[in-house]
Amino acid sequence: MILSRLAALSFVAALALPIPAQAQPVPARTLRVAPHADLKTLDPVAASIVITRMHGLMIYETLFAWDAKLNPKPQMVESFSTSADGLAWTFTLRPGLKFHDGQPVTTRDVIASLKRWMVRDTIGGKLGEYTDATEVVDDKTFTLKLKRPMALVPFALGSAVGQIPVIMRESDAVTDPMKPVTEAIGSGPFRFNRAEWRSGAKVVYDRNPDYVPRAEPADGLAGGRVVKLDRVEWLIMPDPATAAAALQTGEIDIWEQPSQDLIPVIARSGDIKVDRYSSLANQVMLRPNHLYPPFNNPKARLALAYATDQADFLAGGFGDEQWWRRCNSYFICGSPNGTEAGAEAFSKPDLETARRLLAESGYKGEKLVLSSSYDIAPIGRMAEVAADSLKKVGFNVDVQFSDWGTVTTRQQNRGAPEQGGWNLFVTYASGATMQSPMTNIGTNMACEKAWAGWPCDAEAERLRGAVVDAPDDASRKLAIEILHRRLAEVQPYRVLGQFDQPYARRSNVTGVLNAPVMLFWNIEKN
C-alpha cells in the first residue's frame, strides 16, 4: 500500500511539475531530501522556525558564521578591527560577494540588513541596545559604533539561531521588519528556484555558479561553503511511512528528521545510515501566552511546571529513552551554560502544588486553546500529552490541530484566543539556540520585543544584560546562575527536557556537517 501510494504521488508530481529535460542535472548531482516541514515563510528574519532558517542558510550569508564548536569565524567579512576602547568595530567585506540578481553586495545592504535584524531577533535586539551608530566608510567597509563595550559582537553577527542576521539587498531590508520579505534573493551558495516551488509538495535550490567560497575547510557553518551538487530538492512528505519507504527505495537521499519509531526499521538496511548532525541536544518546551489570563499570572505558569512530567512528553514524542533525557535547564544540560539552579523542585510532578497555584492565579476553568500540528509528529503527540497532563490539575484544554504553517502563523497572532489567538503550544528548538542567554528565544522577556508568548519581566532582562556585560568567564557563569534562578521563578516557558534528533541518509551520501541545522554544502552523492 505504501509503495503504491508513493508511486502514485511520484506520478502525479511528475505530471504536475514538468521540467524540460535539458534543465535537469545528471541524477548523481541532484540531492533529494524529505525535510521535517513544508516551507511557508521565505524570510529568515521574520520567522525563527527551523525550516525557514534552513532555507535562509541555503540562499543568504552572514558576516560571521559559527564553527562546529559555536565559535564565530569571519564569513562575508574579510578583515575586522576593534578600537582600543572597544567602542568601534570596523569591518571590510571579502571580494566576490554578489547577489543572485548580479548586484554586488555593499555596506549599504549590510547596514540595512543589520538594522532590520536588530528589531526582530533576541541576540540582535541585545546588540541593538549596545549600538550607537552604523556608518558606511565605503562600499566594502563599515563601522559599528557602540555605547559601551560588548565582547560578543562577532558571536552575535554569526548567529545561526532565532532570526538569523542574513544580508539582504538594501531594497528588501528597508521594508517593514514586522512584515516578511517575499523576495528570496541572497548572495549564498544556492539560488531559490521560485518557478519550481510548489507549496506542500516541492522546494528546489540550484547551485549558484557565481558564488565564491572561502578558502578554509568547512567547519560547522564556517569555512568554505563548497557546493558539490547541482540541485537540491526538498520533497514534502508529512507521512512518516511514505518518507521511510522513499528512503528505502532511493527516491530520496536524506530524511532530515526521521520518526523515532521507524528508525529501527530503516536502520536495518545496509544502504541507510542513521546519525546525528548536531552535538548539542534539542530542547522541548511548553510555551504559554503571557498576554492573556491565566498565564499573565506567574502562578499559573508555575502550575505548568508542577503539573508536567518531562518523561511523559519525551517518551510520547521521541520513543526510546536512548534519544532523550530529563533536564530542567533553560540553557541545555551538557552545554557550558547548563545550570538547573532554582529549578530543582520541577524534577517530578507535584499535582497538589499545581492545583493550589492554579487556584491562586484566579483561573476559573475557562477554555484554553493549545495550537498544534501532526505535520511534525512528535509535536502533535506531545500536544496530546500536554492536554492530558494539564486536565489532571484543572486546566480546560482544547487542542486545535492544523497544518504546521498555520500553527506558526497563528503563533504570531497577539489577539485573544477566542479571536484567532492562542494560549499554549508545544515546540522544540536546537541546543545551539537555547544554550546561551544571548540566543535563547524563550528566555527573552523583553515584552513586545520577545518571541511569541511575549513574556515581560524587567528583572530577568536586567539579569540577562548582566550576562552580556560580564567581563570574564567566571563572572559570566555566576551571572547565568543568578539569571536562571529568576527564570525558574517567573517561568517564561515550561522546559520539557531535551532530545537528540537523528537524520537518515543513504550510504552513498557523505559530507553532512555538524551544525545547528542541516546544511547542504560540502555534501557529495556518489
Side-chain angles (χ1 to χ4, degrees):
M1 176 64 73
I2 292 172
L3 292 176
S4 298
R5 179 178 168 194
L6 186 62
L9 287 170
S10 302
F11 179 69
V12 171
L15 290 177
L17 306 172
I19 304 170
Q22 63 271 23
Q24 289 277 32
V26 296
R29 299 276 292 179
T30 297
L31 188 79
R32 297 182 174 88
V33 180
H36 69 279
D38 189 18
L39 179 67
K40 298 285 189 180
T41 303
L42 300 178
D43 182 356
V45 180
S48 62
I49 56 175
V50 173
I51 194 67
T52 296
R53 204 180 323 149
M54 289 170 57
H55 159 81
L57 290 169
M58 294 284 279
I59 66 171
Y60 295 106
E61 284 198 287
T62 53
L63 296 174
F64 288 77
W66 293 349
D67 66 16
K69 295 182 179 179
L70 306 184
N71 297 314
K73 301 292 178 64
Q75 186 60 36
M76 296 179 80
V77 165
E78 180 179 45
S79 62
F80 67 100
S81 60
T82 311
S83 62
D85 60 6
L87 295 179
W89 294 68
T90 301
F91 305 92
T92 299
L93 301 179
R94 64 187 176 93
L97 298 176
K98 184 163 58 175
F99 287 111
H100 300 156
D101 63 358
Q103 296 182 52
V105 178
T106 72
T107 51
R108 292 186 302 277
D109 304 301
V110 170
I111 289 174
S113 297
L114 293 182
K115 287 180 177 179
R116 184 169 186 267
W117 165 69
M118 288 177 185
V119 174
R120 295 301 305 265
D121 182 58
T122 295
I123 191 171
K126 185 58 65 177
L127 179 58
E129 292 174 16
Y130 283 69
T131 298
D132 185 40
T134 48
E135 298 178 353
V136 171
V137 177
D138 56 39
D139 279 354
K140 293 298 180 183
T141 302
F142 74 100
T143 299
L144 176 68
K145 295 186 176 180
L146 303 179
K147 301 171 186 175
R148 59 188 191 274
M150 180 181 175
L152 298 174
V153 169
F155 180 81
L157 295 177
S159 177
V161 299
Q163 284 101 340
I164 54 179
V166 299
I167 304 306
M168 299 179 170
R169 299 176 302 179
E170 182 182 25
S171 58
D172 295 327
V174 295
T175 58
D176 184 349
M178 306 312 291
K179 295 181 180 179
V181 169
T182 56
E183 295 291 343
I185 296 176
S187 62
F190 290 92
R191 293 176 175 176
F192 177 61
N193 189 327
R194 185 179 289 271
E196 293 191 49
W197 181 29
R198 301 291 183 271
S199 182
K202 189 176 187 180
V203 188
V204 177
Y205 301 91
D206 298 314
R207 182 179 64 85
N208 176 10
D210 297 326
Y211 180 74
V212 180
R214 296 186 68 90
E216 303 94 334
D219 181 4
L221 284 152
R225 299 182 176 183
V226 178
V227 176
K228 303 176 181 180
L229 306 159
D230 290 315
R231 177 182 173 98
V232 177
E233 298 178 356
W234 292 356
L235 305 178
I236 311 306
M237 297 182 177
D239 176 38
T242 300
L247 184 67
Q248 290 172 311
T249 60
E251 185 170 334
I252 61 173
D253 305 297
I254 294 177
W255 188 5
E256 185 228 344
Q257 291 190 14
S259 177
Q260 254 83 356
D261 58 343
L262 291 175
I263 287 174
V265 176
I266 60 176
R268 285 199 292 265
S269 170
D271 293 329
I272 295 173
K273 306 296 181 183
V274 177
D275 205 350
R276 295 169 174 83
Y277 59 78
S278 177
S279 55
L280 275 181
N282 302 302
Q283 185 183 84
V284 185
M285 70 182 83
L286 177 60
R287 181 70 160 187
N289 188 336
H290 294 237
L291 297 181
Y292 298 98
F295 300 118
N296 58 346
N297 188 318
K299 290 186 176 181
R301 303 196 299 269
L302 278 167
L304 295 179
Y306 283 110
T308 47
D309 187 336
Q310 291 183 343
D312 291 342
F313 285 84
L314 296 168
F318 307 104
D320 195 312
E321 195 170 353
Q322 69 169 311
W323 297 109
W324 56 264
R325 63 173 288 189
R326 296 174 184 264
C327 170
N328 280 293
S329 174
Y330 283 101
F331 305 128
I332 305 296
C333 293
S335 83
N337 305 318
T339 178
E340 295 183 89
E344 295 87 354
F346 311 138
S347 59
K348 293 183 180 180
D350 184 341
L351 302 188
E352 288 305 313
T353 298
R355 293 187 185 102
R356 174 178 59 79
L357 288 166
L358 187 57
E360 292 174 0
S361 76
Y363 177 65
K364 303 296 184 184
E366 297 87 352
K367 184 177 77 171
L368 303 177
V369 175
L370 196 165
S371 177
S372 194
S373 174
Y374 266 108
D375 286 359
I376 304 176
I379 287 177
R381 293 195 295 265
M382 288 188 290
E384 296 208 31
V385 173
D388 290 341
S389 299
L390 299 182
K391 285 176 183 177
K392 293 176 183 177
V393 298
F395 287 102
N396 176 15
V397 180
D398 176 23
V399 185
Q400 297 183 6
F401 288 102
S402 56
D403 65 90
W404 183 239
T406 299
V407 170
T408 57
T409 300
R410 188 174 189 176
Q411 287 172 4
Q412 305 306 314
N413 188 335
R414 297 183 186 224
E418 63 272 15
Q419 297 173 346
W422 54 277
N423 296 106
L424 291 162
F425 64 83
V426 178
T427 192
Y428 52 79
S430 71
T433 301
M434 310 309 273
Q435 59 86 34
S436 168
M438 287 286 287
T439 58
N440 184 308
I441 56 175
T443 58
N444 176 351
M445 301 191 74
C447 309
E448 70 277 358
K449 294 181 180 179
W451 179 54
W454 307 283
C456 195
D457 188 81
E459 178 63 6
E461 283 304 287
R462 185 188 72 80
L463 294 173
R464 194 161 66 94
V467 174
V468 181
D469 290 335
D472 53 53
D473 290 343
S475 56
R476 187 172 295 114
K477 183 177 181 180
L478 177 60
I480 288 172
E481 180 174 324
I482 295 170
L483 168 63
H484 199 276
R485 291 185 183 278
R486 178 63 180 177
L487 295 173
E489 292 174 2
V490 297
Q491 289 287 311
Y493 60 91
R494 166 56 169 148
V495 179
L496 294 176
Q498 57 195 52
F499 71 99
D500 291 314
Q501 176 59 62
Y503 76 97
R505 59 176 170 82
R506 292 192 63 82
S507 57
N508 64 331
V509 173
T510 58
V512 178
L513 295 165
N514 181 346
V517 299
M518 179 164 282
L519 308 174
F520 295 97
W521 57 84
N522 201 59
I523 290 180
E524 294 185 80
K525 179 181 172 183
N526 301 313

